[in-house]
Amino acid sequence: MLNIRIEKNTAPKAKPTGKLGFGKIFTDHMFLMNYSTEKGWHDARIVPYGDISLDPSAMVFHYAQELFEGMKAYRTAEGKIQLFRPDKNIERMNNTCDRLCVPQINPDDALQAIKALVAVEKDWVPTEDGTSLYIRPFIIATDPMLGVHPSHTYLFIIILSPVGAYYEAGLKPVKIYVEREYVRCVKGGTGLAKAGGNYAASLKGQEKAEKMGYAQVLWLDGIERKYIDEVGAMNVFFVIDGKVITPDLTDGNILPGVTRRSCIEVLKHLGIPVEERKLSIDEVIEAHKNGKLNEVFGTGTAAVISPVGELFDDGNKMIINNNEIGPVAQKLYDTLTGIQWGKIEDPFGWTVSVED
Ligand SMILES: *Cc1c(COP(=O)(O)O)cnc(C)c1O
């Protein structure tokens, strides 16, 4: 059990009224906890949201020893606030810590911190349909020195942001650019870690896709440039000839998404066959040519399901399912969002109340 000191914000902000968007508004408080080699993780506190002060030589600024998580708190019709599989985010955060030589956090303490902060900010969990409170835990290396080695001191921070409905006008399929020049990560690298550095490496490809009128990039593996990794910052699923296929995690170059795992489990629960295996871009092109590429969609906490209506590869424009959301994507979307907002029964025990 953490002993969390709470310092209330004496000048709380007015709650937002208009459109929330994503990650632009922050709540009145934040959670902080320090790490040192001597004391371990210590000094857990909830304090007014605001600037933090760091030495300019702090290691995070130079060698990107930083990691983060992304999850949400949902308000049900009865007004209850619940989390979705927070244990999976915390487990992944600790796996990322391991990959980046950052000391892990006791999973019970991490959950307690998240729940405590959300409970303090409960009035910030929006009520309109499809809205939620986005939770961003992150850890930064704070040693003030330029030698390249793991830091001895860290700061664990949690901030919260009320976010709007991802889809305001139904699930609109996106156009995706197949990236054959830049890669996001390679086998043996940090692709499996939720690290800020991976995002820095992905910006160039993303910018190129956007300039060409595409929403996101389809990333291919960094070694053979042949197998599909992810789509933008989402995991990716294909329905080929009635079979659901998603890239497997064995090479460590794919982020193990909580939404990805949940989709696989829902599909299995529904008796829909799903394969986790290597899938080449050539197999996708071939399937499209033969009229067997039924659906493509991305999965992630922000959008839950993001249908792909077009894949553009080297002059080859592939339209998928008539540029409409397909039945598998729709079923997964309805099931996951139904559980998250408490609209349908949760047969998996995935939701966790913030109050207990
Ligand atoms: C966070 C993330 C995902 C999605 O993970 P979820 O747990 O489903 O939100 C997928 N790919 C990358 C690169 C990510 O950072």
Side-chain angles (χ1 to χ4, degrees):
M1 269 291 265
L2 284 178
N3 180 14
I4 305 175
R5 177 167 62 83
I6 298 180
E7 184 192 326
K8 282 273 183 172
N9 191 332
T10 51
K13 290 175 266 206
K15 302 285 183 296
T17 45
K19 281 214 185 332
L20 293 169
F22 181 81
K24 293 185 210 152
I25 301 159
F26 298 94
T27 67
D28 291 318
H29 299 85
M30 59 185 177
F31 175 92
L32 298 176
M33 182 162 70
N34 291 78
Y35 179 90
S36 67
T37 319
E38 308 78 54
K39 294 194 195 163
W41 287 108
H42 65 279
D43 197 11
R45 58 210 186 268
I46 290 171
V47 296
Y49 185 94
D51 292 355
I52 54 170
S53 172
L54 290 173
D55 193 292
S57 69
M59 292 189 68
V60 62
F61 296 136
H62 306 278
Y63 309 123
Q65 204 188 4
E66 185 271 355
L67 60 98
F68 66 97
E69 267 305 323
M71 54 204 287
K72 285 173 169 178
Y74 308 84
R75 191 183 288 281
T76 68
E78 299 81 51
K80 264 186 51 187
I81 299 165
Q82 58 188 28
L83 306 171
F84 181 74
R85 309 190 82 178
D87 52 316
K88 294 289 169 220
N89 290 91
I90 292 165
E91 186 185 311
R92 181 172 69 193
M93 181 174 80
N94 276 329
N95 291 339
T96 301
C97 283
D98 181 62
R99 181 62 183 80
L100 297 183
C101 301
V102 173
Q104 297 182 335
I105 298 177
N106 177 311
D108 294 335
D109 292 351
L111 183 60
Q112 187 195 340
I114 292 165
K115 282 183 172 179
L117 183 62
V118 173
V120 165
E121 302 288 53
K122 60 182 187 312
D123 295 342
W124 280 91
V125 184
T127 50
E128 288 87 75
D129 217 30
T131 61
S132 55
L133 186 68
Y134 186 78
I135 305 169
R136 169 55 58 88
F138 61 107
I139 303 177
I140 55 175
T142 53
D143 272 9
M145 61 177 73
L146 298 180
V148 180
H149 62 80
S151 183
H152 302 94
T153 59
Y154 297 88
L155 194 54
F156 174 48
I157 308 177
I158 309 172
I159 56 176
L160 305 175
S161 173
V163 297
Y166 200 87
Y167 298 105
E168 264 149 12
L171 283 88
K172 200 176 157 314
V174 292
K175 290 164 69 175
I176 299 296
Y177 181 83
V178 180
E179 177 55 60
R180 291 195 180 250
E181 183 185 4
Y182 301 111
V183 298
R184 191 184 81 92
C185 64
V186 292
K187 181 176 176 178
T190 55
L192 79 173
K194 212 165 173 73
N198 290 341
Y199 278 72
S202 76
L203 296 176
K204 194 82 179 166
Q206 173 68 26
E207 189 183 63
K208 180 177 147 194
E210 277 173 20
K211 274 192 187 136
M212 296 178 68
Y214 291 85
Q216 294 281 350
V217 164
L218 188 77
W219 297 108
L220 302 181
D221 82 273
I223 296 174
E224 293 184 68
R225 312 285 183 101
K226 181 176 165 186
Y227 297 105
I228 290 160
D229 275 357
E230 299 197 48
V231 60
M234 301 181 109
N235 295 114
V236 63
F237 284 72
F238 295 80
V239 185
I240 298 179
D241 205 11
K243 262 205 207 98
V244 186
I245 305 158
T246 191
D248 65 277
L249 303 176
T250 41
D251 279 350
N253 47 340
I254 291 170
L255 201 284
V258 177
T259 320
R260 174 191 180 278
R261 171 117 314 271
S262 305
C263 285
I264 292 170
E265 291 174 26
V266 167
L267 289 166
K268 286 187 173 158
H269 182 78
L270 295 171
I272 298 171
V274 49
E275 296 174 6
E276 291 177 73
R277 64 165 169 89
K278 277 195 167 36
L279 175 69
S280 71
I281 184 68
D282 294 338
E283 185 180 341
V284 171
I285 294 167
E286 190 63 23
H288 181 263
K289 213 169 22 182
N290 299 331
K292 292 186 171 166
L293 183 58
N294 313 131
E295 293 184 44
V296 181
F297 53 91
T299 67
T301 296
V304 187
I305 301 288
S306 178
V308 175
E310 177 189 331
L311 276 178
F312 183 81
D313 175 47
D314 206 10
N316 178 17
K317 189 194 248 204
M318 295 173 267
I319 302 292
I320 298 140
N321 195 44
N322 211 12
N323 208 8
E324 284 163 23
I325 184 169
V328 175
Q330 187 71 56
K331 182 73 195 167
L332 287 170
Y333 182 79
D334 293 343
T335 307
L336 291 182
T337 57
I339 292 172
Q340 287 163 341
W341 276 276
K343 290 180 190 159
I344 62 172
E345 212 208 315
D346 170 14
F348 306 98
W350 284 342
T351 51
V352 173
S353 168
V354 163
E355 280 89 2
D356 43 61

